[in-house]
């Protein structure tokens, strides 16, 4: 009876519920920011300069009298958009490189793996900084730089997953049946590793958001007056003692967003790995 009750009374783990709840709030804020924001996020002097949180200005105002609540809401759309585009692009390019390295032959494997290892030895942020310094600041260049910085990581992950599949008997049987490498990867390998790649993309999403905020904080990402979270932090660092709310609210938004997607990613990884599942 106890075992039956456990099977029928399945409950969502608290970390999954918390992650989905926080992510839902952030996504809703990003999608509905144009309707929820009470003021134009770039309009100056909508209120007194450096006014504290109040009923009219929930998060206070910044040094130009702009409503901080409206700017943080709109910044969610920018930050999530940069993170999504960077992760999708980095996963597509890195995944393709990893699959080519696993199935294109020994020479291609040796060359690509050496290149991947060299790039992977550098931190993501350092690669993104170097690329933005070369391309120039801006939202498009920042997105491209973050995507490229993620390519070595996803290439390494895709190669590891594809190499594990390559060693399985069904791959050898497919080769003996005359299936070429392209069809083999498309029909047999991708469906088996796609779930794991999506899990890694979810975990990498929070890293992309942090990279975007870091670049904007340094003045190399989204440029003023666009209300990206890192740019808001950069503008408020000079008022940390006089108006700490300029740093608190966008910083809290970054922390909650990163926490939510990390919780979701960890939960998906546990579900995707049979060894982590508990046996009833």
């Amino acid at each position: 009876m106890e075992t039956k009750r456990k099977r029928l009374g399945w409950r969502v783990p608290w970390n999954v519920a918390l992650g989905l709840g926080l992510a839902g709030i952030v996504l809703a804020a990003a999608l509905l920011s144009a309707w929820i924001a009470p003021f134009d996020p770039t309009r100056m002097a909508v209120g007194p300069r450096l006014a504290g949180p109040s009923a009219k200005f929930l998060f206070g105002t910044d040094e130009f009298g702009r409503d901080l609540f409206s700017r943080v809401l709109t910044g969610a759309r920018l930050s999530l958009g940069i993170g999504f585009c960077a992760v999708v692009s980095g996963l597509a390019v890195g995944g393709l490189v990893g699959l080519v390295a696993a199935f294109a032959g020994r020479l291609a494997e040796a060359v690509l793996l050496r290149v991947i290892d060299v790039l992977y030895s550098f931190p993501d942020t350092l690669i993104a900084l170097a690329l933005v310094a070369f391309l120039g600041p801006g939202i498009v260049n920042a997105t491209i730089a973050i995507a490229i910085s993620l390519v070595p990581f996803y290439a390494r992950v895709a190669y590891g997953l594809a190499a594990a599949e390559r060693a399985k008997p069904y791959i050898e049987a497919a080769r003996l049946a005359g299936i070429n490498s392209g069809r083999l990867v498309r029909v047999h390998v991708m469906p088996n590793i796609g779930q794991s790649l999506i899990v890694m993309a979810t975990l990498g999403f929070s890293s992309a958001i942090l990279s975007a905020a870091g670049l904007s904080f340094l003045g190399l990402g989204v440029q003023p007056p666009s209300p990206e979270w890192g740019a808001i932090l950069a503008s408020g660092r000079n008022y940390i003692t006089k108006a700490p709310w300029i740093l608190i609210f966008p910083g809290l938004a970054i922390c909650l967003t990163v926490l939510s997607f990390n919780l979701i990613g960890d939960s998906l990884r546990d579900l995707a790995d049979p060894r982590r599942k508990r046996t009833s």
Side-chain angles (χ1 to χ4, degrees):
M1 289 294 293
E2 184 67 23
T3 303
K4 185 177 180 181
R5 236 189 329 263
K6 286 182 179 179
R7 290 177 180 174
L8 295 176
W10 181 82
R11 294 181 299 176
V12 178
W14 69 268
N15 55 339
V16 179
L18 178 60
L20 290 175
L22 292 176
I25 294 173
V26 174
L27 289 173
L31 295 174
L32 303 176
S33 58
W35 294 274
I36 298 176
F39 300 98
D40 184 343
T42 60
R43 182 184 173 186
M44 299 183 184
V46 297
R49 294 177 63 253
L50 303 177
S54 63
K56 185 176 181 181
F57 305 107
L58 295 179
F59 290 175
T61 61
D62 63 8
E63 69 274 22
F64 296 109
R66 296 174 295 197
D67 179 49
L68 193 59
F69 178 68
S70 301
R71 290 179 63 77
V72 171
L73 282 179
T74 308
R77 184 173 56 195
L78 284 173
S79 296
L80 293 182
I82 294 173
F84 178 79
C85 293
V87 167
V88 170
S89 302
L91 178 61
V93 176
L96 179 61
V97 172
L99 290 172
V100 170
F103 287 93
R106 292 186 177 180
L107 178 61
E109 180 179 12
V111 172
L112 289 175
L113 286 182
R114 296 297 78 75
V115 173
I116 292 171
D117 289 340
V118 170
L119 293 176
Y120 195 61
S121 64
F122 295 96
D124 296 350
T125 305
L126 182 60
I127 296 175
L129 281 172
L131 290 171
V132 170
F134 175 74
L135 297 173
I139 183 171
V140 175
N141 291 342
T143 304
I144 294 173
I146 296 171
I148 294 175
S149 70
L150 293 174
V151 167
F153 170 71
Y154 289 123
R156 196 68 188 176
V157 171
Y159 171 78
L161 294 171
E165 292 296 317
R166 185 182 60 187
K168 294 182 178 179
Y170 80 90
I171 296 293
E172 184 64 27
R175 289 188 185 277
L176 292 175
I179 299 177
N180 59 46
S181 296
R183 179 175 174 79
L184 186 64
V185 170
R186 186 175 67 254
V187 177
H188 297 284
V189 177
M190 280 301 299
N192 290 330
I193 70 173
Q195 184 181 21
S196 298
L197 289 177
I198 292 174
V199 171
M200 298 309 297
T202 305
L203 291 171
F205 187 70
S206 57
S207 176
I209 291 176
L210 287 174
S211 296
L215 291 176
S216 298
F217 183 82
L218 296 174
L220 298 174
V222 178
Q223 299 298 296
S226 297
E228 199 272 335
W229 289 336
I232 298 174
L233 288 173
S235 68
R237 60 186 169 182
N238 296 325
Y239 306 94
I240 187 171
T241 57
K242 189 175 182 180
W245 51 86
I246 303 179
L247 295 172
I248 291 174
F249 291 110
L252 187 61
I254 294 173
C255 290
L256 292 178
T257 303
V258 171
L259 174 63
S260 66
F261 284 99
N262 279 343
L263 289 174
I264 294 172
D266 288 340
S267 303
L268 291 176
R269 182 177 57 189
D270 293 343
L271 291 174
D273 189 353
R275 292 171 297 180
R276 294 173 178 265
K277 293 180 180 179
R278 295 181 179 179
T279 57
S280 57

